[in-house]
Amino acid sequence: MAEYDPNTLSRVLELFSIRGQDCDTVSARMTEEGFQWIELDCSDMDDHSAGVLLNKVRQIITVKSARIETLVLRAQKLAA
């Protein structure tokens, strides 16, 4: 969640690009409260890298809050 600012999305994406991290999906939308909601889905990212990126995102002045959600798929579902 960030202030609705045209530079915020590009600054967040730049952090991923600098580290060579591809995102599977990227979405950004304005909330009813006038904030910008940015969501990035990245597969194959280890916990350490995710934590480093999270801290960098939090340092962006327009970012109000940031969090990591981890999705773990069972091997059976991946094979299907």
Side-chain angles (χ1 to χ4, degrees):
M1 183 79 68
E3 292 177 19
Y4 198 78
D5 181 275
N7 296 316
T8 302
L9 180 59
S10 62
R11 293 189 67 201
V12 169
L13 292 174
E14 180 182 34
L15 295 174
F16 287 77
S17 177
I18 288 170
R19 286 160 183 76
Q21 179 65 50
D22 289 328
C23 297
D24 301 321
T25 62
V26 176
S27 66
R29 64 179 173 83
M30 185 167 57
T31 66
E32 291 179 8
E33 296 82 17
F35 290 102
Q36 187 174 28
W37 178 264
I38 300 170
E39 186 172 329
L40 302 134
D41 294 325
C42 305
S43 58
D44 299 326
M45 183 184 292
D46 61 76
D47 290 341
H48 175 73
S49 296
V52 169
L53 281 166
L54 177 63
N55 287 330
K56 294 288 186 180
V57 168
R58 286 179 173 158
Q59 291 175 8
I60 298 172
I61 192 117
T62 55
V63 172
K64 299 301 177 194
S65 66
R67 70 176 188 258
I68 296 174
E69 291 183 9
T70 304
L71 176 63
V72 178
L73 299 175
R74 295 179 186 220
Q76 302 160 342
K77 291 184 179 179
L78 290 175

